[in-house]
Amino acid sequence: MRYVDLLSFGPTGWGDDLWTGTKLTLHLAVVSLGVGLIIGLLGAGAKLAPNKWLNRLGDAYTTVIRGIPELLTLLLIYYGLQFGLQGALALLDTPALCAALDLGAKLDSLGLEAANASICTDEPVEVSGFAAGVIALSLVFGAFATEVFRGAILSVPGGQLEAARAIGMSRALVIRRILLPQVWRFALPGLGNLWLVLIKDTSLISVIAFDELMRKTFIAVGVVKEPFLFFGVACLVYLAITGVSMIAFNRVERWASRGVRRV
């Protein structure tokens, strides 16, 4: 009964906290997925572009990001953003600029007291853990997705693209009607694996005190001193998320492969 009470919802249990952490984990993962897919498509386009400078840029991005541990990428972005923003504000002398433009009062009148405190004073800049997490996870996901999309684009038979151009299709129409539908079909298995990795990588954000599932679990363990219980529950939650995700991706793959003869 004690374990049930510890995991219950309400003032005496930790169910509310774990549920809140799970929602934040999913929110972080979904936003990072969307941004990462865009980065991956742009990266694949850069690596396959006829311009050699775009090729080098795409190669440099994937080489650097894939060669650095995800945790180190997160820490560099989190502390680097704070350092960069603090330096930029000091360079612009924002307190004097705000005083000259009466910007502080204007921000306060708009209900932006936090922005006023960050911009118009000498207080240290604090970067949102959610923002740093999204940037870091999106860059990592995008680097691996770049290679997935590049391979998928190269898997589309070139004869189909040439035939589409021969009948007068514009480049944009060829991409929309011929290339992208098949690219998604080829890329979905790889993207599904990257999504599962992304779900697990969200646990790294706990090191910068963002209250996702792993952070909430550590807090509960520190207070109640029941590590096996709470870490076991966190394990089940992650397994449930990945299980549902695998079912969803399998269905999407079948939908994307409709009409394709299986050998």
Side-chain angles (χ1 to χ4, degrees), residues 107-144:
L107 290 174
D108 288 341
S109 66
L110 294 174
L112 300 176
E113 292 85 357
N116 180 19
S118 299
I119 297 173
C120 297
T121 66
D122 293 325
E123 294 182 6
V125 176
E126 294 186 6
V127 175
S128 164
F130 180 82
V134 167
I135 294 172
L137 294 179
S138 298
L139 287 175
V140 173
F141 184 93
F144 288 94

Side-chain angles (χ1 to χ4, degrees), residues 180-221:
L180 283 181
Q182 297 189 77
V183 165
W184 286 113
R185 178 167 63 86
F186 290 124
L188 275 172
L191 293 177
N193 289 332
L194 293 181
W195 164 253
L196 298 183
V197 174
L198 175 64
I199 288 291
K200 293 181 289 185
D201 282 348
T202 57
S203 62
L204 299 174
I205 314 301
S206 61
V207 302
I208 58 174
F210 180 70
D211 287 335
E212 44 72 61
L213 176 59
M214 206 67 225
R215 170 75 174 172
K216 292 289 190 181
T217 304
F218 272 115
I219 294 173
V221 169

Side-chain angles (χ1 to χ4, degrees), residues 130-167:
F130 180 82
V134 167
I135 294 172
L137 294 179
S138 298
L139 287 175
V140 173
F141 184 93
F144 288 94
T146 292
E147 298 302 329
V148 172
F149 281 127
R150 187 179 71 87
I153 291 172
L154 293 176
S155 298
V156 177
Q160 295 184 14
L161 304 180
E162 294 174 2
R165 287 192 292 267
I167 63 174

